[in-house]
Amino acid sequence: MKLTLKIWRQAGPEAKGAIKTYQLDGVSEDMSFLEMLDLLNEQLVHQDEEPVAFDSDCREGICGMCSLMINGEAHGPEVTTTCQLHMRSFNDGDTITVEPWRSGSFPLIKDLIVDRSAFDRIIQSGGYISANTGSAPEANSVPAPRDKAMRAFNVATCIGCGACVAACPNGSASLFLGAKITHLGELPQGQPERYSRVVDMVGQHDHEGFGGCTNIGECAAACPKEIPLDVISQLNKDLRHALKSGH
């Protein structure tokens, strides 16, 4: 395939950025989107040009690093991560626009790379449980109802990629926050800090400058792990209880 790529280039946080256009030939439909960018970077290096900076790690859809807006959609036209998006989703002669996440809470570092350490600080503020140190406890020593265990397992698949923030018109991280709150709140081990956790994590979310949720639903539609929208309801329910009980 031959493609026209319009890619956001920005040398650094304080530099002025702009969309630059590149022509790329020889793209296989079996390539992943990131492999296509690798091919572009090989071409740029051979032309003595600066390669495009972008994030990636596992390239298996589990680390959440490959965060790109592709033709205005978080991770592109398929409900998956960018590294698992394949070029068969595009056609020969297509023009593809590639941009970084656009959020004030995710400051740009270079080209397509943004700083998502705000998510780390939200987790640090309360996304953990109290546990005695020492040897690992027997897995079945703390009984958990199957429905709650399965729900906790399903929402724990959130990889913190930030697609929810990028897709949300308000720049809210409520789906990410709701997934973390629900994951721990469904388990017996998560009960001691359940309500102090939600207060601390919501406070950090707001401190980081993320917007408020107005239940538009773009976050759940863009989530590559299909985290359900109702985790935000659980977040709000726990927050109301915490505030009423004086946590």
Side-chain angles (χ1 to χ4, degrees):
M1 290 192 293
K2 185 174 183 179
L3 301 171
T4 299
L5 301 174
K6 293 182 177 293
I7 299 179
W8 182 263
R9 303 301 308 268
Q10 187 169 338
E14 306 302 325
K16 185 177 180 180
I19 292 284
K20 293 194 175 181
T21 302
Y22 303 97
Q23 301 297 325
L24 186 62
D25 204 351
V27 177
S28 167
E29 65 176 13
D30 295 322
M31 286 181 174
S32 72
F33 198 87
L34 296 187
E35 288 171 332
M36 181 274 294
L37 290 180
D38 288 337
L39 184 64
L40 171 65
N41 279 344
E42 288 179 12
Q43 175 178 299
L44 293 177
V45 169
H46 289 152
Q47 296 171 352
D48 292 326
E49 296 183 44
E50 181 77 14
V52 177
F54 62 92
D55 261 334
S56 72
D57 188 8
C58 73
R59 300 205 179 197
E60 294 178 349
I62 58 175
C63 75
M65 293 292 289
C66 55
S67 48
L68 298 178
M69 290 295 288
I70 302 169
N71 288 342
E73 297 181 276
H75 292 304
E78 310 291 341
V79 183
T80 187
T81 54
T82 301
C83 64
Q84 294 298 296
L85 176 68
H86 287 80
M87 299 312 296
R88 66 180 70 97
S89 298
F90 302 92
N91 299 310
D92 184 35
D94 275 358
T95 296
I96 304 174
T97 302
V98 188
E99 300 173 273
W101 285 165
R102 299 295 190 184
S103 170
S105 301
F106 291 156
L108 189 137
I109 298 175
K110 182 178 181 180
D111 291 343
L112 303 175
I113 300 176
V114 298
D115 179 359
R116 287 171 297 164
S117 59
F119 273 9
D120 298 329
R121 291 188 289 273
I122 290 174
I123 294 296
Q124 290 166 2
S125 70
Y128 50 82
I129 61 173
S130 294
N132 294 327
T133 58
S135 60
E138 163 59 37
N140 295 318
S141 63
V142 182
R146 185 180 185 281
D147 58 338
K148 291 185 177 294
M150 290 303 298
R151 179 162 167 79
F153 178 82
N154 289 335
V155 299
T157 59
C158 170
I159 56 177
C161 65
C164 50
V165 178
C168 177
N170 304 325
S172 173
S174 292
L175 192 75
F176 164 80
L177 186 56
K180 301 306 178 184
I181 292 294
T182 303
H183 163 214
L184 297 175
E186 291 285 5
L187 298 175
Q189 297 92 333
Q191 298 313 304
E193 295 102 351
R194 179 170 181 173
Y195 297 112
S196 61
R197 175 188 301 119
V198 68
V199 170
D200 291 342
M201 293 181 74
V202 168
Q204 188 65 37
H205 169 279
D206 295 347
H207 176 74
E208 295 292 343
F210 292 105
C213 175
T214 51
N215 290 313
I216 294 172
E218 289 293 329
C219 53
C223 177
K225 297 304 176 182
E226 300 182 346
I227 302 298
L229 194 61
D230 65 2
V231 298
I232 299 178
S233 300
Q234 186 65 51
L235 162 66
N236 291 333
K237 180 180 178 181
D238 280 10
L239 182 60
R240 284 196 301 270
H241 185 281
L243 295 178
K244 286 181 180 179
S245 59
H247 281 78

